[in-house]
Amino acid sequence: MSKTAFYRELVQEINQTVGREAVTTEQLKELVRQAKMIRRAQGLMGLLAFANQLPYRFLTPHEVQMIQRSPRYRELSRRTLQMLVMEGVITPFEANMVRI
């Protein structure tokens, strides 16, 4: 699967879960670009702080809760981590640590 198709599917899953167009492919790509810059400048701890704020850039607190309660939550989390590994933002080892 191409990166573009992967992004498109992830965006579609997020938007379907919250019931509106909350995020676009372009926005997701921009977040990855920002994450790479933060990782280089601030390291893993800076990246984690950045990641904790991400959902609230596009989603309301209620929508964040909807995703967390959704049966899709595990899959969305897995795919998001997969995207970050694929883009070189985190290593596979770090992705496994986050999953725990």
Side-chain angles (χ1 to χ4, degrees):
M1 173 185 300
S2 73
K3 284 184 182 182
T4 302
F6 186 86
Y7 275 84
R8 224 178 302 125
E9 284 184 15
L10 183 57
V11 164
Q12 184 179 1
E13 288 180 43
I14 292 167
N15 291 339
Q16 283 178 347
T17 302
V18 297
R20 69 176 179 91
E21 186 175 329
V23 66
T24 66
T25 303
E26 293 76 24
Q27 289 171 321
L28 204 55
K29 287 179 181 180
E30 176 61 19
L31 288 176
V32 169
R33 189 191 65 72
Q34 290 175 5
K36 287 178 179 181
M37 285 179 21
I38 289 170
R39 175 65 189 253
R40 281 191 299 271
Q42 300 175 22
L44 185 58
M45 295 310 290
L47 181 62
L48 291 175
F50 173 74
N52 284 330
Q53 300 303 317
L54 284 180
Y56 301 99
R57 284 187 168 187
F58 304 103
L59 306 172
T60 67
H62 175 72
E63 289 171 333
V64 171
Q65 288 179 347
M66 283 174 55
I67 288 178
Q68 289 172 340
R69 291 185 198 136
S70 168
R72 294 180 172 177
Y73 180 69
R74 281 188 176 279
E75 180 63 17
L76 286 171
S77 295
R78 186 190 66 75
R79 289 177 59 90
T80 301
L81 288 171
Q82 182 181 359
M83 176 192 65
L84 294 173
V85 170
M86 178 177 70
E87 290 289 355
V89 178
I90 61 175
T91 66
F93 178 77
E94 291 165 339
N96 284 333
M97 294 301 290
V98 172
R99 282 187 194 125
I100 294 174

